[in-house]
Amino acid sequence: MGATGGIADFDALRRAMAENAEEPEGPARNARAEQLLAEAEKLNIPLAVVEALGHQLKVYNYSSEKDKMFVPFARLLRLWDERPGDFDEYETHSLYWVFKWMSAGMLDQPHIPLASIEKWLGEMEHRYRLAGHSERAVRSAEFSVAAHVGDFSRAERAYAAWLAADRDRMADCHACELHGQGGWQLRNGRDAEALELWRPVLEGEYSCAHEPHTVLASSLVPLLRLGRTDEARAHHLRGFRLVRPMESMRGAYADHVEFCALTGNEARGLELLAERPAYFTDAGQPRSRMDFLAVVTLLMDRLTGLGLGEQRVPGPAGRAWSAAELAGHARAEALELAARFDARNGTSYVGDRVRERMDQRPLADRLPLGVRAARTAPAGPLAPVVRAPAQEPPSLSELLAEARRLSDTLQPHALEAWAAVAEAVEGTEVDAYVRAEVADHTAMGRGPEGAELFERAAELYARAGDEGEAIAARARAAYVRALAGEVDVATAAIGEPYDRILALYADEATGVRQTASVLMSRARILMRRVHERSEGALEAEQAVRELLALVGGRGGSDVRLVSRAAEGRAMLAELAEHAGDGERAAELFRQASAQFVGAELPWFAVEYEVRVAALAHEQGDMAEAERALRAALEHGGPHVEAVGRAQLHLQLAEVLGGRGAAEEAAEHALQAAHWADEAGESATLGAWARHQLGGLLLRQGRFAEAAEVLESALADLSAERHGDGAVVQTQWWLGDCLSELGEHHAAAERRLQAAEIARHWPEQHDHATLAHLAAESLGNAGLAAEADRAYARAGELWRAMGNVHFLVRSLRARAWLALRTEAGTAGARRLMTAAVTECESALTGLRDAAARERLTGELGHTHRQFGDLLARSVPEDAQDAAIQDAFEAALAETTAAIAVFAGLGADGLHSRTGAELAAGWLEADLSRPADAAARARAVLDAYRDADPEDDTVRARRAEARQLLEPAEA
């Protein structure tokens, strides 16, 4: 019935209210409740008005218009006082139940005087006592009032009385009570105690319409304060998914925004604000609006403090907002609301807590969440930097000494130090050698573009009288030309420096460092020729060995020479790999890595460990691949660029996931996503990392977290960039998550989208499987006709592929659906008969013993399901003869199943006894106690020598004895 249609009778009213209760929270649902109340009043049935008022009150309570619920409640209470006989048992219980909503609702409205709230508490206590209810709910309400105004002594007394009172039908559910009790521990600074109280809710032992939603939100900050960041991340992803569709949960939503502001996830916080623009202005519940505006202030102050005060941000409708502007606006609004509460309460407690919340310091620089988020602040220390008193800037000599120290010891920031020297010497007179060093190191930072500057450095070195360094600089110029693709030019250019340096070295006119530098440049150039043209491997190897002969054993404390030796070994490894000797290559790369680590230059080892990992992967040695990747991460530390760290973490995640270590693999996939975002690669590498992370979370049964991550991945995954296989797999995994979460309609959409892509693949197994899963989801979503069409499509695909098992399962599923559609029992019987026929036909001539056994089992299950379907298809108002006919037909199918399972011997034992018991119950329903008892004894005989600890055996024996009881009575 449409929203504008009239209500003909009480049953129609109840159906309409039930339908409205299933609609999303918000003004539209509230408006429909108001219409239904008007329709109820036309029916001239007192109970109809009572139920419509109760429905209206409930939808108001679960919406942003909570302030409207006082009117229907006052009317209900007046009706109760005047004509209690108009209330049935359920509505009587509901009336007393919502007394508690009134208490909380009054606290949320600062215009309601505290005296009125206290008077209401007394009224509630009086009425509960007269009705014979425990005072537990009353004391809980009193505690809420005392805690709200900051009367801690009274709150403690009420808290103790609340817990001491008996639980009865009026007590809040366990989940809600534990949330309130944990909140009190939190207010008293007992984070760990609060979390322990909440544990049964967080673990799913207790739940309700708003739990674990609010507990998950409330747990975020205490978890952060306790350093339990992994749990905090999980609770945010899981909890926000629950809160997002519920308009009434602005307070919990605010907790998630606060979490983002405190963990360096400001960009995600802005996304959350953008999703709920009405939260800035909805005035129906002032307390949750105050809480929301307080965390908006916190987030905007954080952005402003990061230098992003002018950034455009989501805010109240009607104008554009910068972060700084919204910070001021939200602070003023939150404090104005707090002042109204404090004026009503006669204390400063609410305002004090709001200020405390707005002025919090971040609890983490950046807590990676796995979902995509832009970086709003550079990584750095959380605490304010305490600057030393102003000092004179370092002198040129100090800058020069530091730059030489860093470059001599091959430290990561040497080029930055030389850039500082270059800035200091600009416009000043310095000697030619210093200018040569500056030009040399500036050229190093330019890569292939540095050739001319290296030549300039060579001229300056020569002018300064250092011929060896001049030759080395020219050799470097030749090498960068090779990097630019000019391999022939570089090969020709290196000839003269090579000959000259050897001559100088022989005359002891230059040192080993300069000589090694030239030999290294020559070896690098010749290696480029090998890599680019696959020629000159022998000449390159000779060049490398010449270098190693020069520096071998000479390194000692000279890390430059150790570095030359290590790189030379790595070149030999590359040559071995080029020649197809993977084992030799890996061993040489390991040696190069070990040399760098031994020289306390571990960051240079990263590249070689990555090469080892790749070779190990090719050879199927995943243990070595894992070792090498772990070593690369350890050696690189903070010196690896963000994109490199993302790649390392992602590779390690794939290796760990491959050996089943899903939990650790997920941590590395999370880090990969984080560093990809840091590198500005969210849409490429980041999407792939999130794809992997979502799959790993799914494997751990962390469905809500996985769904959030996979949805985030899908925003960036594309067939062009990542391959359509990745898109299909992500949709598939997301469908699995949504199915587990009970979001069946959304699961069906994801599975159908994936099936549409897979439809074009040459191999159709994935297409068929996804179509089958989509049908399952559609059926679970109550869309029987759509599910039937999807199963029919899947069945066609299974038939084309020759997969009888899944063809039969699709037919069976359609048969069960037929009972819910116009096809009815007759259609269901036809489909089940078709399933039996498909099995029997496929068994004809099938010679493979294993395949025959599997298909025989499928036939047995089909007969068994056919029997169950026939037994359940009898209408409630059927005549006795129709019932008997249906049960006889069901018994025949079940007996056929028993015979099929019996043919499977021990492998079919449990299936046979299950069918035997089902047949026994049918015999009992057909008034054949002796036949029922015979079937029960057959089951007991079948398990005479079975393991008594086996759960199935124990269950079957218990059921058989239950079936025997009437015969033995």
Side-chain angles (χ1 to χ4, degrees):
M1 183 175 295
T4 58
I7 300 296
D9 53 37
F10 199 178
D11 286 341
L13 175 68
R14 283 174 163 166
R15 286 195 298 272
M17 289 190 296
E19 290 171 4
N20 194 45
E22 296 301 315
E23 292 298 312
E25 295 177 350
R29 186 170 75 158
N30 296 351
R32 178 59 174 154
E34 292 161 6
Q35 292 175 357
L36 292 174
L37 175 59
E39 295 286 342
E41 290 169 334
K42 297 176 185 177
L43 296 177
N44 199 28
I45 300 173
L47 182 58
V49 174
V50 169
E51 290 189 12
L53 283 167
H55 174 66
Q56 187 183 74
L57 193 157
K58 182 175 182 179
V59 299
Y60 283 155
N61 183 62
Y62 292 111
S63 79
S64 60
E65 298 179 309
K66 288 178 183 286
D67 54 334
K68 290 185 176 182
M69 69 182 178
F70 300 108
V71 172
F73 179 74
R75 187 175 171 189
L76 274 170
L77 196 58
R78 186 173 67 252
L79 289 173
W80 169 261
D81 288 339
E82 293 172 355
R83 298 172 58 94
D86 290 345
F87 289 69
D88 63 12
E89 182 181 357
Y90 178 81
E91 292 303 325
T92 301
H93 175 270
S94 296
L95 176 68
Y96 279 94
W97 183 266
V98 296
F99 267 78
K100 300 177 296 182
W101 294 0
M102 294 305 106
S103 299
M106 289 178 179
L107 278 180
D108 291 343
Q109 306 293 332
H111 70 277
I112 298 179
L114 195 60
S116 298
I117 298 173
E118 294 287 2
K119 181 180 177 182
W120 175 254
L121 275 177
E123 177 78 6
M124 180 180 175
E125 182 173 7
H126 173 69
R127 287 179 179 266
Y128 269 46
R129 186 182 302 114
L130 287 179
H133 298 310
S134 165
E135 67 171 12
R136 188 176 182 95
V138 178
R139 298 285 77 84
S140 173
E142 181 190 4
F143 161 77
S144 297
V145 173
H148 172 67
V149 303
D151 186 345
F152 275 51
S153 58
R154 182 187 181 193
E156 285 286 7
R157 292 193 303 272
Y159 183 86
W162 167 22
L163 269 60
D166 293 335
R167 279 189 58 83
D168 67 351
R169 295 175 65 213
M170 285 300 122
D172 279 340
C173 74
H174 283 290
C176 288
E177 282 207 331
L178 288 173
H179 180 231
Q181 292 162 19
W184 183 238
Q185 301 304 317
L186 214 60
R187 289 199 195 186
N188 287 280
R190 297 189 285 264
D191 289 348
E193 290 85 345
L195 291 164
E196 181 58 27
L197 273 170
W198 291 335
R199 184 175 52 78
V201 184
L202 295 170
E203 293 179 356
E205 185 178 344
Y206 302 125
S207 63
C208 69
H210 277 187
E211 295 296 354
H213 314 43
T214 56
V215 163
L216 284 164
S218 298
S219 72
L220 296 171
V221 172
L223 284 169
L224 290 173
R225 285 196 293 251
L226 292 171
R228 292 159 62 176
T229 53
D230 288 346
E231 292 172 76
R233 175 194 302 112
H235 288 194
H236 170 63
L237 294 177
R238 176 183 161 204
F240 184 68
R241 188 171 192 84
L242 294 173
V243 167
R244 179 188 276 134
M246 302 183 74
E247 184 211 36
S248 64
M249 301 198 71
R250 178 164 54 184
Y253 201 98
D255 291 340
H256 287 279
V257 176
E258 177 182 41
F259 167 82
C260 293
L262 296 176
T263 56
N265 286 287
E266 299 86 4
R268 180 167 171 82
L270 294 177
E271 292 172 6
L272 268 57
L273 296 186
E275 286 189 30
R276 286 291 189 183
Y279 276 176
F280 287 97
T281 52
D282 281 346
Q285 190 187 26
R287 183 152 59 157
S288 71
R289 181 166 178 257
M290 175 184 69
D291 291 337
F292 181 76
L293 290 169
V295 300
V296 169
T297 305
L298 172 68
L299 178 60
M300 296 305 132
D301 281 350
R302 173 67 176 153
L303 288 169
T304 303
L306 293 170
L308 300 170
E310 298 306 309
Q311 179 173 323
R312 287 283 295 274
V313 294
R319 56 161 288 185
W321 294 91
S322 70
E325 289 168 340
L326 185 57
H329 171 81
R331 180 178 290 273
E333 292 275 303
L335 291 177
E336 189 275 332
L337 284 167
R340 288 166 55 193
F341 279 108
D342 284 342
R344 188 268 303 273
N345 299 340
T347 68
S348 65
Y349 184 66
V350 172
D352 292 342
R353 283 178 57 79
V354 166
R355 290 182 183 86
E356 180 183 331
R357 191 172 196 184
M358 291 190 296
D359 295 339
Q360 291 176 93
R361 297 290 304 163
L363 296 171
D365 171 51
R366 172 76 177 275
L367 177 62
L369 301 178
V371 293
R372 183 178 184 179
R375 182 63 168 153
T376 52
L382 286 179
V385 177
V386 179
R387 300 191 181 279
Q391 297 178 349
E392 290 293 322
S395 65
L396 174 58
S397 61
E398 290 171 332
L399 289 172
L400 193 57
E402 177 64 5
R404 286 170 175 167
R405 182 188 70 80
L406 292 174
S407 57
D408 283 347
T409 55
L410 299 179
Q411 297 301 302
H413 301 295
L415 291 182
E416 289 93 323
W418 280 107
V421 173
E423 185 177 353
V425 301
E426 190 173 349
T428 65
E429 289 293 329
V430 293
D431 63 52
Y433 195 87
V434 172
R435 284 186 286 133
E437 289 178 292
V438 169
D440 201 4
H441 290 91
T442 303
M444 291 176 191
R446 295 187 180 178
E449 308 300 321
E452 291 184 5
L453 203 51
F454 275 128
E455 295 287 2
R456 173 62 178 156
E459 293 173 6
L460 291 167
Y461 279 129
R463 192 180 305 169
D466 192 335
E467 187 64 20
E469 279 298 344
I471 296 171
R474 279 196 289 275
R476 288 190 280 274
Y479 171 56
V480 297
R481 287 195 168 91
L483 286 179
E486 301 176 28
V487 177
D488 290 337
V489 172
T491 304
I494 196 64
E496 183 189 3
Y498 170 68
D499 291 337
R500 288 190 60 196
I501 202 72
L502 290 181
L504 282 176
Y505 184 66
D507 291 340
E508 298 184 357
T510 192
V512 69
R513 268 197 182 189
Q514 292 80 3
T515 307
S517 178
V518 175
L519 294 185
M520 177 57 78
S521 293
R522 179 170 179 266
R524 288 171 173 170
I525 291 168
L526 295 175
M527 288 296 295
R528 295 292 299 181
R529 189 169 61 178
V530 173
H531 290 312
E532 293 184 10
R533 302 179 183 176
S534 294
E535 63 182 34
L538 181 59
E539 186 180 1
E541 182 176 351
Q542 291 172 343
V544 173
R545 294 196 179 282
E546 184 179 12
L547 167 68
L548 291 173
L550 175 70
V551 300
R554 295 196 184 208
S557 61
D558 190 334
V559 295
R560 281 182 173 271
L561 297 183
V562 174
S563 172
R564 301 298 189 200
E567 188 177 345
R569 290 196 180 281
M571 288 178 174
L572 292 179
E574 291 174 16
L575 290 167
E577 185 178 9
H578 182 76
D581 190 346
E583 289 187 16
R584 173 66 176 157
E587 178 57 32
L588 287 166
F589 278 132
R590 280 191 290 268
Q591 290 177 14
S593 174
Q595 281 187 281
F596 275 123
V597 173
E600 299 183 357
L601 302 171
W603 47 88
F604 287 113
V606 173
E607 176 187 352
Y608 305 133
E609 293 291 3
V610 170
R611 300 288 290 272
V612 171
L615 288 165
H617 202 284
E618 289 175 8
Q619 295 161 13
D621 187 350
M622 303 315 293
E624 174 61 7
E626 180 181 335
R627 181 212 63 77
L629 290 168
R630 288 187 188 280
L633 276 169
E634 179 186 351
H635 296 331
H639 304 300
V640 179
E641 291 184 354
V643 68
R645 293 175 82 166
Q647 291 167 337
L648 286 173
H649 280 293
L650 185 55
Q651 290 178 53
L652 187 51
E654 291 171 348
V655 171
L656 290 167
R659 71 166 173 83
E663 189 170 343
E664 187 182 0
E667 176 59 32
H668 285 286
L670 174 69
Q671 292 297 324
H674 165 70
W675 288 110
D677 290 344
E678 292 287 309
E681 295 288 339
S682 294
T684 51
L685 188 59
W688 187 253
R690 277 180 268 280
H691 160 83
Q692 294 285 4
L693 175 59
L696 291 162
L697 291 170
L698 171 61
R699 283 166 59 181
Q700 297 174 62
R702 295 160 66 178
F703 304 117
E705 297 167 67
E708 284 290 302
V709 170
L710 291 168
E711 286 171 348
S712 181
L714 280 171
D716 291 314
L717 282 172
S718 68
E720 295 75 22
R721 187 183 293 132
H722 302 93
D724 56 7
V727 178
V728 167
Q729 183 64 79
T730 304
Q731 295 275 26
W732 192 328
W733 282 337
L734 181 53
D736 291 348
C737 292
L738 295 170
S739 178
E740 292 288 346
L741 294 168
E743 299 177 35
H744 299 298
H745 195 282
E749 289 181 357
R750 295 300 185 180
R751 288 167 166 174
L752 288 170
Q753 289 167 5
E756 179 58 27
I757 298 172
R759 182 169 69 89
H760 304 286
W761 293 354
E763 209 287 318
Q764 288 288 284
H765 185 272
D766 286 345
H767 178 204
T769 303
L770 285 161
H772 198 112
L773 289 171
E776 180 183 293
S777 293
L778 289 165
N780 289 331
L783 302 171
E786 293 87 340
D788 181 72
R789 287 194 293 271
Y791 273 125
R793 174 60 180 149
E796 293 171 4
L797 293 167
W798 293 129
R799 185 186 300 279
M801 295 165 58
N803 191 322
V804 180
H805 291 273
F806 278 96
L807 168 60
V808 167
R809 291 172 192 179
S810 67
L811 288 167
R812 292 197 311 240
R814 293 181 65 199
W816 285 104
L817 285 168
L819 296 178
R820 296 154 51 188
T821 67
E822 294 179 358
T825 303
R829 284 179 178 238
R830 283 195 300 273
L831 288 162
M832 275 295 187
T833 300
V836 170
T837 302
E838 291 290 348
C839 277
E840 291 175 340
S841 297
L843 281 167
T844 303
L846 183 61
R847 297 185 178 181
D848 182 278
R852 187 174 184 82
E853 183 174 326
R854 287 195 301 273
L855 194 53
T856 299
E858 200 73 66
L859 175 61
H861 289 299
T862 304
H863 279 300
R864 171 68 195 275
Q865 283 200 35
F866 201 169
D868 289 345
L869 179 142
L870 292 167
R872 297 181 193 180
S873 65
V874 182
E876 291 182 3
D877 57 353
Q879 299 297 314
D880 289 347
I883 295 173
Q884 177 148 350
D885 287 347
F887 280 11
E888 290 286 6
L891 181 59
E893 290 296 335
T894 307
T895 302
I898 294 167
V900 173
F901 289 136
L904 295 174
D907 290 338
L909 176 61
H910 290 330
S911 297
R912 176 169 68 86
T913 57
E916 194 82 68
L917 287 167
W921 290 114
L922 286 167
E923 301 275 22
D925 289 335
L926 290 165
S927 301
R928 300 170 189 163
D931 292 337
R935 291 188 183 278
R937 291 190 185 98
V939 171
L940 293 174
D941 288 344
Y943 288 125
R944 183 178 293 112
D945 299 321
D947 179 5
E949 299 303 315
D950 183 286
D951 289 341
T952 303
V953 172
R954 292 165 66 182
R956 293 280 196 274
R957 283 175 170 170
E959 188 177 352
R961 293 188 189 102
Q962 183 183 359
L963 188 58
L964 274 173
E965 284 176 2
E968 296 177 346

